[in-house]
Amino acid sequence: RGTTVHKAIEKWNQGQDLFWFEEIEDPDTKEVIEKKNYDDFEWKAIRSYMSWAEEFKPKFKELEIELYSKTWGYAGTADAVAEIGGQTVICDWKSGKYIGDKFYLQAAAYWKAYEEMTGITCDAAMILALSVPPSPRAKVPKSWKLVTLNREDLEKAWNRFQTRMRLFYETHPKEDFEPKRDLLPVSYTH
């Protein structure tokens, strides 16, 4: 489900329209039928993203950025780098409702890898959970939860990430790390 939600958000951010349902022609009967493109969970998560994007109005610099650190020997894919509120921010969408410590470490790893690859230090990272039940007590109920990490938060998370990497390499000797293929960020602008 998470992959479908991520792909839909990427399509939207590239300027493509999204449809919960669409009419298609059945190849056997030639009858027009309604096809559901996303299940209810996926569509709710997509709607949550749309609500967040409408409020924060991100200006995307890059989408689905494959990142790696030769220094530390890890790789991953950040969902976006965007300008939000005048700051350059690494963005990570989560299709669930949980934002735990491991996601802080993941955001810090993306932050450092992006800096290592591009020479650009982002101002912050955002982790957006898209399947959060709205609070009935909120003045404006939101179906998403946002955690923003400033540079100080990212440095702290990065230090914890480094500690875990060191422990990992104590039991798994580090070989020279080379990405499996040339990973070049692809930029999209609107």
Side-chain angles (χ1 to χ4, degrees), residues 5 9 12-13 44-54 58 60 93 128 130 143-144:
V5 171
I9 290 170
W12 175 259
N13 290 335
K44 284 178 185 175
I46 291 164
R47 287 178 48 216
S48 294
Y49 173 80
M50 299 298 186
S51 169
W52 171 83
E54 187 176 312
F60 293 105
W93 332 127
L128 178 65
L130 297 170
S143 55
W144 47 267

Side-chain angles (χ1 to χ4, degrees), residues 19-117:
F19 300 96
W20 192 3
F21 296 92
E22 64 182 312
E23 291 183 349
I24 60 169
E25 185 178 288
D26 184 300
D28 298 327
T29 65
K30 304 295 184 207
E31 188 178 327
V32 175
I33 58 172
E34 199 170 68
K35 177 185 169 237
K36 195 172 191 179
N37 292 319
Y38 305 99
D39 69 26
D40 293 353
F41 171 88
E42 293 163 342
W43 193 248
K44 284 178 185 175
I46 291 164
R47 287 178 48 216
S48 294
Y49 173 80
M50 299 298 186
S51 169
W52 171 83
E54 187 176 312
E55 184 172 327
F56 283 84
K57 300 182 182 5
K59 294 179 185 155
F60 293 105
K61 297 178 176 206
E62 301 181 68
L63 296 170
E64 292 296 315
I65 314 119
E66 295 177 324
L67 300 169
Y68 61 87
S69 170
K70 285 188 176 184
T71 305
W72 285 90
Y74 67 85
T77 303
D79 291 315
V81 173
E83 185 179 316
I84 301 171
Q87 293 192 315
T88 301
V89 180
I90 292 267
C91 302
D92 193 25
W93 332 127
K94 300 296 177 194
S95 58
K97 61 183 174 183
Y98 172 76
I99 299 178
D101 188 59
K102 68 181 181 179
F103 299 131
Y104 289 57
L105 302 182
Q106 182 182 28
Y110 291 159
W111 179 65
K112 273 300 181 189
Y114 188 77
E115 179 180 32
E116 184 179 321
M117 290 177 65

